[in-house]
Amino acid sequence: MSEPSDPSDQFDDIVDAETTRDPDLAVIEAGSRTLRAQAGPVQGDPVPSRPEDPELDKALREVETELSTRWGETKLEPSVTRIAALMDVLGEPQRAYPSIHITGTNGKTSTARMIEALLGAFELRTGRYTSPHVQTITERISLDGAPISAERFVETYQDVKPYVELVDAREEYRLSFFEVLTGMAYAAFADAPVDVAVVEVGMGGTWDATNVIDASVAVVTPIDLDHTDRLGGTTAEIAGEKSGIIKQGATVILAQQPVDAAQVLLKKAVEADATVAREGMEFGIVSREVAVGGQLLTLRGLGGEYDGVFLPLHGAYQAHNAAVALAAVEAFFGIGADHARTLDPDTVRRAFAQVASPGRLEIVRSSPTVILDAAHNPHGARATAEGVSESFGFSRLVGVVSTSADKDARGLLEAFEPIFAEVVITTNSNPRATDVDALAAIAVEVFGEDRVVVEPRLPDALEAAITLAEEEAEYGGAGVLVTGSIFTVGDARLLLRRG
């Protein structure tokens, strides 16, 4: 009798099967050859893998190890004193280019990627700084729409390291992990040089390390409850912290906000003599149709309407992000204030048709369909649940969930409860991942014991979810959604051979 096969080997057999979904198929099935042509050639995976050169990989790991000795992104001393000191000794690189600064609770990274795509389509050299990364640290700093190479990342670190050490010696606390990365990004953008930087805050706004730029356009994506221990327990308090990115005379692009948050943001804008454009008032979505592979939009910008915009991303929230991104770029070009016109519509369509947002309702394999989404709080989870329900006709959807310990796991699970037939509780590689037994206990309270499976190892959790999704002969309508944390998504993406 033969030995039973190792479960990990079975899992490898599953994940080694490449998806049969043609990246262009969505646009073809949406019925528009014009849109397909605008999208240009199929782009590669926007998430870089580890360097193939062993020496370069070793050098990158050494940098990552050195950075890991610093305060992590969840340990803060709320001030910009240290980052300002670093900018000073570096020669103020952040002032070498104009910037668009983005804050909010959810949607920041997707919005940043859309803004970057639009600016690039208008032949501007862009730098983008976003966090956290999905798989590789180099993702955080992008030039011309692509993460900087591992070699350039290492070189940038070595360039700024002596100045970092100088500031470390002078200040009460060493520069944090995020502060050093921010300094690296601003230095890399100046060195490129870029025409414009698109910068996402790490947390909050007022005292965030990114807030040493003087951005002419400040973008605030939807605000909800998250990081309440640091930003405040109400959306108004959180808005107060995030409003700190609004600078004197800037243009403020506001996504739809809770009433109390909007009041705080508008008050700050008045104090800063800033011009305000509000979603639903000065700009917004005129129409939206779900299409295979994404959605077809008509957007109203600050200067007029843009129809026939194909966005290859799922979910109404991504359409709202697109409206915000378009308004931000129009504001950057002076449209709506200095110029009463639209951007070139064909260029706008071409830019949006090429947008990718890894880990945001991202399909990574088929049969059954496996989707990754980095929702990590209740607000994001509700948007994801709505997007999945709208865009996918699953007869059976199984969740794979691991959250971070400082997040509202109950609220997140409650948001997904209506759409999950079962949920597989697991853990991810991040040290801050919620204890699997503690998360499972919450899941049982939300879903009931019969609908909860516990698999502490993510590979086992994925295999279990795929098996559950295929049960009861519902193979054709089955799906798996991996969610709860950007770290869960990153780990799953690596396992599913996308990186």
Side-chain angles (χ1 to χ4, degrees):
M1 182 176 175
S2 62
E3 293 273 330
S5 61
D6 188 290
S8 62
D9 292 335
Q10 295 174 2
F11 179 76
D12 285 341
D13 290 339
I14 294 172
V15 300
D16 279 340
E18 294 185 5
T19 177
T20 58
R21 187 174 182 273
D22 183 339
D24 275 341
L25 186 59
V27 181
I28 295 171
E29 292 177 351
S32 175
R33 294 182 180 275
T34 302
L35 288 174
R36 182 185 178 196
Q38 289 172 342
V42 178
Q43 303 297 308
D45 190 343
V47 177
S49 56
R50 298 292 309 187
E52 294 183 4
D53 180 350
E55 290 301 313
L56 180 56
D57 187 56
K58 179 183 177 183
L60 179 60
R61 291 187 187 278
E62 287 174 353
V63 171
E64 290 172 312
T65 299
E66 288 187 26
L67 288 170
S68 70
T69 66
R70 298 178 175 275
W71 280 358
E73 290 171 281
T74 60
K75 187 172 182 179
L76 306 166
E77 192 278 313
S79 77
V80 294
T81 302
R82 291 175 303 281
I83 187 67
L86 180 60
M87 293 296 99
D88 180 54
V89 297
L90 286 173
E92 304 291 345
Q94 81 282 13
R95 306 203 185 283
Y97 38 80
S99 302
I100 297 175
H101 207 176
I102 307 169
T103 190
T105 301
N106 291 307
K108 296 187 295 295
T109 298
S110 292
T111 302
R113 285 180 171 275
M114 293 178 194
I115 291 172
E116 173 190 52
L118 284 163
L119 292 170
F122 285 98
E123 300 184 352
L124 292 182
R125 185 160 207 209
T126 58
R128 173 173 53 83
Y129 181 52
T130 52
S131 61
H133 55 274
V134 178
Q135 287 177 198
T136 306
I137 195 170
T138 56
E139 296 167 38
R140 295 178 180 235
I141 304 172
S142 290
L143 293 172
D144 295 322
I148 63 174
S149 66
E151 183 177 22
R152 190 162 191 169
F153 187 91
V154 172
E155 289 174 351
T156 302
Y157 176 76
Q158 296 299 340
D159 286 344
V160 305
K161 183 178 178 180
Y163 301 96
V164 168
E165 292 172 344
L166 181 64
V167 173
D168 284 344
R170 291 178 179 176
E171 298 294 326
E172 182 180 1
Y173 303 106
R174 297 170 71 213
L175 287 153
S176 70
F177 169 88
F178 187 72
E179 287 169 334
V180 174
L181 279 177
T182 302
M184 289 172 59
Y186 289 160
F189 296 162
D191 185 61
V194 302
D195 296 315
V196 55
V198 183
V199 179
E200 173 190 333
V201 304
M203 186 187 299
T206 301
W207 41 257
D208 186 72
T210 62
N211 202 29
V212 288
I213 54 175
D214 190 14
S216 61
V217 179
V219 177
V220 186
T221 65
I223 290 174
D224 209 275
L225 299 179
D226 200 8
H227 300 295
T228 54
D229 56 330
R230 296 178 177 86
L231 303 180
T234 68
T235 50
E237 291 174 337
I238 293 171
E241 289 294 338
K242 293 182 182 295
S243 70
I245 72 165
I246 299 173
K247 303 299 169 58
Q248 194 70 27
T251 299
V252 184
I253 306 299
L254 294 183
Q256 293 178 349
Q257 304 290 347
V259 173
D260 62 346
Q263 291 172 340
V264 171
L265 293 165
L266 290 171
K267 182 174 184 291
K268 174 65 175 181
V270 170
E271 292 171 353
D273 195 26
T275 301
V276 177
R278 299 155 294 178
E279 185 183 3
M281 300 289 285
E282 287 77 21
F283 70 93
I285 301 169
V286 176
S287 65
R288 187 177 75 89
E289 299 175 23
V290 176
V292 177
Q295 48 198 311
L296 194 63
L297 310 173
T298 297
L299 300 175
R300 178 165 55 84
L302 303 179
E305 287 192 5
Y306 303 79
D307 61 6
V309 176
F310 178 71
L311 182 67
L313 302 174
H314 300 286
Y317 69 95
Q318 293 288 21
H320 289 284
N321 290 340
V324 169
L326 177 61
V329 173
E330 285 183 312
F332 181 78
F333 284 119
I335 292 174
D338 301 331
H339 307 289
R341 58 178 175 80
T342 65
L343 298 171
D344 178 67
D346 287 338
T347 304
V348 168
R349 295 185 191 106
R350 185 170 64 251
F352 276 120
Q354 295 181 37
V355 169
S357 194
R360 278 75 180 177
L361 284 181
E362 180 187 20
I363 301 171
V364 292
R365 65 157 291 177
S366 59
S367 300
T369 300
V370 178
I371 303 170
L372 307 180
D373 192 88
H376 58 275
N377 55 46
H379 180 263
R382 289 191 294 271
T384 296
E386 290 171 5
V388 170
S389 299
E390 175 186 77
S391 300
F392 303 93
F394 293 128
S395 58
R396 184 184 186 88
L397 180 64
V398 180
V400 176
V401 177
S402 173
T403 62
S404 294
D406 59 341
K407 300 298 182 181
D408 181 2
R410 180 180 297 276
L412 181 139
L413 289 169
E414 287 174 345
F416 284 123
E417 189 277 332
I419 69 167
F420 286 166
E422 294 94 6
V423 61
V424 182
I425 300 301
T426 188
T427 191
N428 60 55
S429 61
N430 188 272
R432 294 189 297 110
T434 307
D435 175 78
V436 69
D437 292 330
L439 185 60
I442 298 171
V444 168
E445 293 176 3
V446 173
F447 287 83
E449 190 172 355
D450 292 345
R451 294 168 63 195
V452 177
V453 176
V454 181
E455 290 288 356
R457 295 179 64 253
L458 183 58
D460 298 334
L462 290 170
E463 184 179 6
I466 289 169
T467 301
L468 285 168
E470 294 175 345
E471 283 181 352
E472 300 179 15
E474 293 182 318
Y475 188 82
V480 173
L481 175 63
V482 184
T483 188
S485 166
I486 190 72
F487 302 104
T488 308
V489 164
D491 291 348
R493 210 173 187 275
L494 281 169
L495 285 166
L496 295 168
R497 304 297 193 264
R498 292 287 294 186

